[in-house]
Amino acid sequence: MKTLQKPVPPGGTIGIIGGGQLGRMLALAAARLGLKTCIYNDTADAPAFQVTQQTIAAPYDDLAQLGAFADACDAVTFEFENLPAHAIAHLAEHVPVRPGTHALAMTQDRLTEKSFIEKLGLKTASFFEVSSPAQARDAFGKLNGKGILKTRRFGYDGKGQAKVSNVEEAIKALESFKGAPAILEGFVDFSYEASVVAARGADGAFAAYDPPENEHEHHILRRSTVPSRLTPAQVEEAKAIARTIGDALDYVGVFAVELFVGSEGALLVNEIAPRVHNSGHWTIEACACSQFEQHIRAVAGWPLGDPRRHADAVMENIIGAEADAWETLAGSGALHLYGKKEARPGRKMGHLTRLKPLTRR
Ligand code: AMP
């Protein structure tokens, strides 16, 4: 078993599980710090494979390949959370995995995650376990109005979710999940959505970015804007929420807390993403240390970088065929394209960040 008493020095190798755009931007940030990366992905056409020294293409539960991966790396992280827990546990026996298996397990299941958030004394939507039609009936009865039924595991970008307005719809939605256990959440009539992207170092140091305001279209993030409409007191509250969560998980690395901002100004936690986050992409241009560099620093045991924002920013995702307009986009901001061959509808192909002079923090 390798341990990490000291930081991974320049020339060392950080392992990244998942070769999508997040893995790609993590690898680019690592390269800037003189660190190498080895990327593990379940297919050979991963966008991140284009920018890394070493690659492994194998299923995520292939223990032999995970062993070889552990041998090649000084520390390992991941860019998406829907990984088989037993595979990560196996990996963690051979090489430091940051964030650890505890943080991953806690955030992989919506019921465990929401219960954890509630125990910390933080606000969240009301929620009920729903594994059977009888539970769906019971849970809907306890809701005061509409709800959202969500599968407990493996949901992203609105997948495994259904808005329900009556008991019959709740039961039908549960059936459409084909036996997958679910939770029913009360529908939050929020004013807008925001998020905090924050980091915790191996020594417990904490750094949070200014929370952006996030707009979604068809369940996919369209735009993140900083500064948001949050008041300075709400910004501090949002960062304090992230700190409470990071400390409770003994977290190492970057994570995001997605928030609903209620009409009265209350901040409700929607979910925790145990990884770098789409709503933090603007930090590449608008902060001295981006979320990607910050994550690599934390995973490698380096001091955290400065998260302060030196510009206002708007980040927009480039989705599907929108990437065909790359020449126009290239002329209108900081363009990032992820090297994906096929522009399928709903696929994140890149993003564009526009900066403006700093108005306020
Ligand atoms: P999630 O997969 O939980 O991040 O949900 C995706 C999106 O669905 C959120 O960003 C919200 O726009 C919406 N949403 C999720 N949960 C709720 C809720 N309880 N009330 C209202 N809208 C929700």
Side-chain angles (χ1 to χ4, degrees), residues 110 125 148 150 156-158 161 185-188 190 193 216 219 258 260 270-271:
R110 290 187 193 273
I148 299 193
K150 302 180 177 179
Y156 68 97
D157 285 353
Q161 285 194 21
E185 282 183 24
F187 190 81
V188 180
F190 55 77
E193 294 183 77
H216 294 84
H219 294 284
E258 297 177 11
F260 296 140
N270 174 33
E271 64 179 358

Side-chain angles (χ1 to χ4, degrees), residues 8 78 98 111 132 155 158 196 269 276:
V8 178
F78 43 84
R98 291 176 165 175
L111 182 63
S132 66
V196 200
V269 176
V276 287

Side-chain angles (χ1 to χ4, degrees), residues 14 17 30 79 93 137 178:
I14 305 296
I17 303 182
E79 60 134 37
E93 283 170 20
R137 189 171 291 283
K178 299 190 169 60

